Amino acid sequence: MTTQRKAPDAARRNEAARRAILTAALDLAGEVGYARLSIEAIATRAGAGKQTIYRWWPSKGAVLFDALLMLSEGQDDQPADLPDTGDLEADLKTVLRATVDELNDPRYSEPMRALAIEILLDPALAADFAERLDEPMRELKRRRLRRAQQAGDLGPGVDLDVAVDLLWGPLKNRWLHREGPLTTEFADTVVETALNGLRPGQSSSSTSR
Amino acid sequence: MTTQRKAPDAARRNEAARRAILTAALDLAGEVGYARLSIEAIATRAGAGKQTIYRWWPSKGAVLFDALLMLSEGQDDQPADLPDTGDLEADLKTVLRATVDELNDPRYSEPMRALAIEILLDPALAADFAERLDEPMRELKRRRLRRAQQAGDLGPGVDLDVAVDLLWGPLKNRWLHREGPLTTEFADTVVETALNGLRPGQSSSSTSR
Amino acid sequence: MTTQRKAPDAARRNEAARRAILTAALDLAGEVGYARLSIEAIATRAGAGKQTIYRWWPSKGAVLFDALLMLSEGQDDQPADLPDTGDLEADLKTVLRATVDELNDPRYSEPMRALAIEILLDPALAADFAERLDEPMRELKRRRLRRAQQAGDLGPGVDLDVAVDLLWGPLKNRWLHREGPLTTEFADTVVETALNGLRPGQSSSSTSR
Amino acid sequence: MTTQRKAPDAARRNEAARRAILTAALDLAGEVGYARLSIEAIATRAGAGKQTIYRWWPSKGAVLFDALLMLSEGQDDQPADLPDTGDLEADLKTVLRATVDELNDPRYSEPMRALAIEILLDPALAADFAERLDEPMRELKRRRLRRAQQAGDLGPGVDLDVAVDLLWGPLKNRWLHREGPLTTEFADTVVETALNGLRPGQSSSSTSR
DNA sequence: CGGTAACCGAGACGGTACGTCCGGTCTTGAT
DNA sequence: ATCAAGACCGGACGTACCGTCTCGGTTACCG
């Protein structure tokens, strides 16, 4: 269902094997971490032949990617859009807190970190990931911010991509580089600081210290 | 000169071999990228025995770390502090533009990316790196911002670590994840946006440029 | 038409597929030799499914066996008996020279060698081959020699099986083990030497030729 | 010590590993037969890495070859020549009976059969084997027969190579193709028949039936 | 000033995993 | 029910590196 090597007949695909492989990949990523994750181990754990993996996925990273997509599917009614209650700050905090919770869930966190590392190693996977997950997500974020800008909640000159970086980047960094604990308080502080700016100003009241 | 395993006699160390190994690591990281960088290849390229590497460094990442330190030494009169002309915005732009230039220099960029990935994989290396490079650098940044805060150029309630994340994080992300071109314009925009905040305000000098 | 696994309905068998498979086996044996001959390649070359092979033959060797039988059919009016002109030496030379010619024909030689090797590896195939081809042939040879013995052209104490080994064995060895060129002169020499024995005697017509 | 791939440093070779590998190959050949003999299994059984095998031997057959040489060494005081008591028939029977005994020894027989099959599959191995074992042995046989010829015990016109084929070939065939029980009686009969020839003659008295 | 203890290049070693090939079985759709 | 097609599990292939281990040879300290 992901990037393919040489057109195997997708219709004949064994769905049970696919799920077993993705589940095994998820489990192993959680158990041993990226550095020791091997295709051989995934195949063995899944009770599958290695060729079955190589037939459908071009790399370890592609397996992880699909595995995480599988994990997301069963549960979400696809969040077609970010919340928009009219209160930008509250909405952003809601979204970022949810992200914090997800990144603190070990079921997601380790496989995701493994995928993130694979993406750094494999440009082809990076492109695939950017196109199919990262860019759509960023577009959702940009859209919400654009509405805020039109409503006058964001400065008219603000570059929306930079705004996204300022809001979501710190979370991603803390998580990926394990630079500190990932709490909802941190998420709130980031939102407030990014919105109000670092300079002293009239609106620097917020909830913050 | 870095983390050591079991007390080899540093006095007897062959400096020529050390430099050959670090240079080989640097070159190879630039040529083949992290994914294909192997200790075996470094040893061969350096004309060194593998044992000579294992004797002095605990991991591939530690070699890269030292290699980058070697690269930095010959050139800098160690910047003991960040510039402080009194104009925070200008100072920050100066520093971030320099960072952009460094990250765009292929001599640094590929080995650094390789090191960054190693750090994600190896907690021991991560700790070493944090202690010896990352935390001191962050302290420098915090110090400059603290002075700005005392001078009233930063809001009194601003969390300095968050401030550092907001200012330096977007650069690091763009570079590491190859999310887009790394330009001095981008650096400037990040500084302005982070300082002024995303909300509309009296000081929205953002668009002016 | 050969050894079967579990009663497939021979009546419904696709004759075209059978011929395509046997032809492909013959061709491939000639082209790549036994060591690289695979059922997969035969199926692909024949445009047949692997299952079609496994349905009708128990092993690669069985395919080769049938393939060689097919090759022999189109041409011979089954030699029900060895020639018997009354002149034993002349008759034996006639037969062995024919064998030499056959073994020098590349169409036969490589597939036959492949079959011979399969037989060494697979006792079941060996039994099948012995029963259906080798033993009948040997009986033909024994019968001719028995008549010669009755006619007084063979010593009364001679073990006919040993005689067959002495006459036909050297040819088989030279061919299978590529121990030297396989010529009609060699066949003649073998016949003469085997008949007259190695000891010097009155009938040492050996050198005369 | 045999055919090598790319000049590894033979001086540094680990003799213990070499012996473990050869012994494992011998044992496995005896236990599972050629068809299921794998380099992987040899390495595992020997407690060696696969690379250690590939470093020193070009193929499975080369390992077997060396293994059999090792087996022959410890025991024989290299038979520099075939026995020559003056009685050709007796000497030949002595030698062939010894061969029969060796071929009936399961320690030798299965590995030897495995080697014989490898030789049929691998021309490079065949050449190596011919040069280093088969041809020297054949020369020994030829030499003994040449002396017999000079002594008048062999017809002057007899081709010595054919003579060797007639004497030793039947044994090799019976053994390799499992065409019947390999007994000392069979060896005796072959010698007598080959010496006296198949034709009736004055000297066809012998011990035979 | 000669012995010895560390270094060094080289590379063999036991292993793990790679990505590929093929064996033999099973499944699908069409004839 | 056979057939072409080909997915599937599994086992072995031959290769690349890992990290450890010897081997001689070469410093450089120390008695």
Side-chain angles (χ1 to χ4, degrees):
Chain A
M1 216 174 249
T2 310
T3 322
Q4 290 167 13
R5 292 174 77 80
K6 208 186 116 191
D9 187 345
R12 296 213 185 289
R13 182 160 193 181
N14 183 336
E15 181 61 18
R18 181 178 165 272
R19 301 180 74 90
I21 288 165
L22 297 182
T23 303
L26 244 21
D27 292 353
L28 282 170
E31 290 170 25
V32 305
Y34 171 79
R36 308 199 175 191
L37 182 61
S38 71
I39 289 194
E40 200 126 313
I42 294 172
T44 301
R45 169 78 67 106
K50 284 204 287 178
Q51 200 65 281
T52 302
I53 297 182
Y54 285 107
R55 178 153 41 233
W56 300 107
W57 292 278
S59 69
K60 197 165 50 174
V63 176
L64 274 169
F65 188 7
D66 274 12
L68 283 163
L69 288 182
M70 180 184 69
L71 204 54
S72 310
E73 265 165 30
Q75 147 210 10
D76 261 351
D77 38 336
Q78 65 271 25
D81 228 329
L82 258 38
D84 188 350
T85 64
D87 182 344
L88 176 63
E89 180 170 338
D91 288 350
L92 288 172
K93 286 182 177 176
T94 302
V95 172
L96 288 205
R97 286 173 177 180
T99 303
V100 164
D101 288 342
E102 195 177 77
L103 294 177
N104 279 325
D105 178 345
R107 282 190 315 144
Y108 283 72
S109 188
E110 275 309 307
M112 251 185 226
R113 190 187 309 278
L115 177 58
I117 296 172
E118 265 302 330
I119 283 171
L120 290 176
L121 295 169
D122 180 352
L125 180 62
D128 198 36
F129 177 78
E131 184 194 338
R132 292 180 44 215
L133 214 87
D134 204 45
E135 190 43 46
M137 289 294 282
R138 183 171 273 262
E139 176 53 28
L140 249 47
K141 296 167 188 171
R142 257 195 246 101
R143 190 149 52 202
R144 176 66 184 86
L145 294 179
R146 194 174 298 119
R147 277 198 305 269
Q149 203 168 32
Q150 286 157 356
D153 295 333
L154 235 58
V158 166
D159 182 317
L160 295 183
D161 269 307
V162 170
V164 170
D165 286 350
L166 252 51
L167 289 163
W168 276 270
L171 245 60
K172 182 174 176 183
N173 279 341
R174 277 230 170 174
W175 166 72
L176 182 58
H177 303 290
R178 309 181 201 261
E179 281 171 353
L182 208 59
T183 62
T184 49
E185 285 75 27
F186 178 70
D188 288 354
T189 307
V190 166
V191 170
E192 291 157 15
T193 312
L195 285 178
N196 298 327
L198 302 170
R199 291 198 216 274
Q202 74 283 20
S203 54
S204 70
S205 51
S206 304
T207 337
S208 77
R209 15 147 168 215
Chain B
M1 209 175 252
T2 310
T3 322
Q4 290 165 12
R5 291 176 73 79
K6 209 184 107 191
D9 186 344
R12 290 179 180 253
R13 182 162 190 181
N14 181 336
E15 180 62 16
R18 179 178 166 273
R19 300 181 73 89
I21 287 164
L22 297 181
T23 303
L26 244 20
D27 291 354
L28 282 170
E31 289 171 26
V32 304
Y34 172 79
R36 306 193 178 199
L37 182 61
S38 72
I39 289 195
E40 203 125 316
I42 294 172
T44 301
R45 167 78 68 108
K50 286 203 293 177
Q51 198 57 253
T52 304
I53 297 182
Y54 285 107
R55 177 152 42 229
W56 299 107
W57 293 276
S59 68
K60 193 166 52 173
V63 176
L64 275 169
F65 191 5
D66 274 15
L68 283 163
L69 288 182
M70 179 184 72
L71 203 56
S72 309
E73 266 163 31
Q75 145 209 13
D76 260 352
D77 38 337
Q78 65 272 28
D81 226 331
L82 258 39
D84 187 350
T85 64
D87 182 344
L88 177 62
E89 180 170 338
D91 289 352
L92 288 173
K93 286 181 177 178
T94 303
V95 172
L96 289 206
R97 285 171 178 184
T99 304
V100 163
D101 287 343
E102 196 178 77
L103 294 177
N104 278 326
D105 180 344
R107 283 189 316 144
Y108 284 71
S109 187
E110 274 310 307
M112 249 185 230
R113 188 189 309 279
L115 177 58
I117 296 172
E118 256 317 317
I119 284 171
L120 291 178
L121 293 170
D122 179 350
L125 180 63
D128 197 38
F129 178 79
E131 184 194 339
R132 293 179 45 218
L133 214 86
D134 203 45
E135 190 43 47
M137 288 294 284
R138 182 171 274 261
E139 176 53 27
L140 250 47
K141 296 168 188 169
R142 259 196 244 99
R143 189 150 52 203
R144 177 66 186 84
L145 293 179
R146 193 175 300 119
R147 279 198 303 270
Q149 203 168 31
Q150 286 157 354
D153 293 334
L154 235 56
V158 166
D159 181 316
L160 296 183
D161 269 308
V162 170
V164 171
D165 286 350
L166 251 51
L167 289 162
W168 276 271
L171 247 61
K172 182 173 175 183
N173 279 341
R174 277 230 171 173
W175 166 71
L176 183 58
H177 303 290
R178 309 181 200 260
E179 279 171 354
L182 208 59
T183 63
T184 49
E185 285 76 26
F186 178 70
D188 289 354
T189 307
V190 166
V191 170
E192 292 158 12
T193 312
L195 286 178
N196 298 328
L198 302 170
R199 290 199 216 275
Q202 75 284 22
S203 57
S204 63
S205 59
S206 307
T207 344
S208 70
R209 254 183 55 263
Chain C
M1 214 173 253
T2 309
T3 322
Q4 292 165 12
R5 290 175 77 78
K6 208 185 106 190
D9 186 345
R12 292 183 177 249
R13 182 162 192 181
N14 182 336
E15 181 61 16
R18 180 179 166 273
R19 301 181 74 89
I21 288 164
L22 297 181
T23 304
L26 244 20
D27 291 353
L28 282 170
E31 289 169 26
V32 303
Y34 172 79
R36 306 193 177 198
L37 181 62
S38 71
I39 289 196
E40 204 126 314
I42 294 172
T44 300
R45 168 77 68 106
K50 286 206 291 178
Q51 198 58 253
T52 304
I53 296 181
Y54 283 108
R55 179 152 40 229
W56 299 108
W57 292 276
S59 70
K60 195 165 50 174
V63 176
L64 275 168
F65 190 5
D66 274 14
L68 283 163
L69 288 182
M70 179 184 69
L71 203 56
S72 310
E73 264 164 30
Q75 147 209 12
D76 260 352
D77 38 336
Q78 64 270 28
D81 227 330
L82 258 37
D84 187 351
T85 65
D87 182 343
L88 177 63
E89 181 169 337
D91 289 351
L92 288 172
K93 287 181 177 177
T94 302
V95 171
L96 289 205
R97 285 173 177 182
T99 302
V100 164
D101 288 342
E102 196 177 76
L103 294 177
N104 278 326
D105 179 344
R107 284 189 316 145
Y108 283 72
S109 188
E110 276 309 308
M112 248 185 230
R113 187 187 311 277
L115 177 58
I117 296 173
E118 261 309 323
I119 284 170
L120 290 177
L121 293 171
D122 180 352
L125 180 63
D128 196 38
F129 178 78
E131 184 193 338
R132 294 179 42 217
L133 214 86
D134 202 45
E135 190 44 46
M137 289 294 284
R138 182 171 275 262
E139 178 52 27
L140 250 48
K141 296 166 188 170
R142 257 196 245 99
R143 189 149 52 204
R144 177 66 185 84
L145 293 179
R146 193 175 299 118
R147 278 198 304 270
Q149 202 168 33
Q150 286 157 356
D153 293 333
L154 235 57
V158 166
D159 181 315
L160 296 183
D161 270 308
V162 170
V164 170
D165 286 350
L166 252 52
L167 289 163
W168 276 271
L171 246 60
K172 182 175 176 184
N173 279 340
R174 277 229 171 173
W175 166 72
L176 183 58
H177 304 290
R178 309 181 200 259
E179 279 171 355
L182 207 59
T183 61
T184 48
E185 285 75 26
F186 178 69
D188 289 353
T189 306
V190 166
V191 170
E192 290 158 13
T193 311
L195 286 178
N196 298 327
L198 301 169
R199 291 198 215 276
Q202 75 284 17
S203 56
S204 64
S205 58
S206 307
T207 343
S208 68
R209 253 185 57 263
Chain D
M1 213 172 252
T2 311
T3 321
Q4 290 165 14
R5 290 177 79 79
K6 206 186 120 193
D9 186 344
R12 296 214 185 290
R13 182 160 192 182
N14 183 336
E15 181 61 18
R18 181 179 164 270
R19 301 180 74 89
I21 287 164
L22 297 182
T23 304
L26 244 21
D27 292 352
L28 282 170
E31 290 171 26
V32 304
Y34 170 79
R36 307 197 176 193
L37 182 61
S38 71
I39 289 193
E40 201 126 313
I42 294 172
T44 300
R45 169 78 67 108
K50 284 201 290 177
Q51 200 66 299
T52 302
I53 298 182
Y54 285 108
R55 179 153 39 232
W56 299 108
W57 292 277
S59 68
K60 198 165 48 173
V63 176
L64 274 169
F65 188 7
D66 273 15
L68 284 163
L69 287 182
M70 180 185 69
L71 203 56
S72 310
E73 265 164 31
Q75 145 211 11
D76 262 352
D77 37 337
Q78 66 273 25
D81 228 330
L82 259 38
D84 188 350
T85 65
D87 182 344
L88 177 63
E89 180 170 337
D91 289 351
L92 287 173
K93 286 181 176 176
T94 302
V95 171
L96 289 204
R97 285 172 177 181
T99 303
V100 163
D101 288 341
E102 197 178 76
L103 294 177
N104 278 325
D105 179 344
R107 283 190 315 145
Y108 282 71
S109 189
E110 275 309 308
M112 250 186 228
R113 188 187 309 278
L115 177 58
I117 295 173
E118 266 299 332
I119 284 171
L120 291 177
L121 294 171
D122 180 352
L125 180 62
D128 197 37
F129 178 79
E131 183 194 339
R132 294 178 44 214
L133 214 87
D134 203 45
E135 189 45 44
M137 288 294 283
R138 181 171 274 262
E139 176 53 28
L140 250 47
K141 296 167 188 169
R142 259 195 244 100
R143 191 149 53 204
R144 176 64 185 87
L145 294 179
R146 194 175 298 118
R147 279 198 304 269
Q149 202 167 34
Q150 286 157 354
D153 293 333
L154 235 57
V158 165
D159 180 318
L160 294 183
D161 270 307
V162 171
V164 170
D165 286 349
L166 252 50
L167 288 163
W168 276 271
L171 246 60
K172 182 174 175 182
N173 280 341
R174 277 231 171 173
W175 166 71
L176 182 59
H177 303 289
R178 309 182 199 259
E179 280 171 352
L182 207 60
T183 62
T184 50
E185 286 75 26
F186 178 69
D188 288 353
T189 306
V190 166
V191 170
E192 291 157 13
T193 312
L195 286 178
N196 297 327
L198 301 170
R199 290 198 217 275
Q202 74 285 20
S203 55
S204 69
S205 52
S206 305
T207 336
S208 77
R209 21 154 163 205

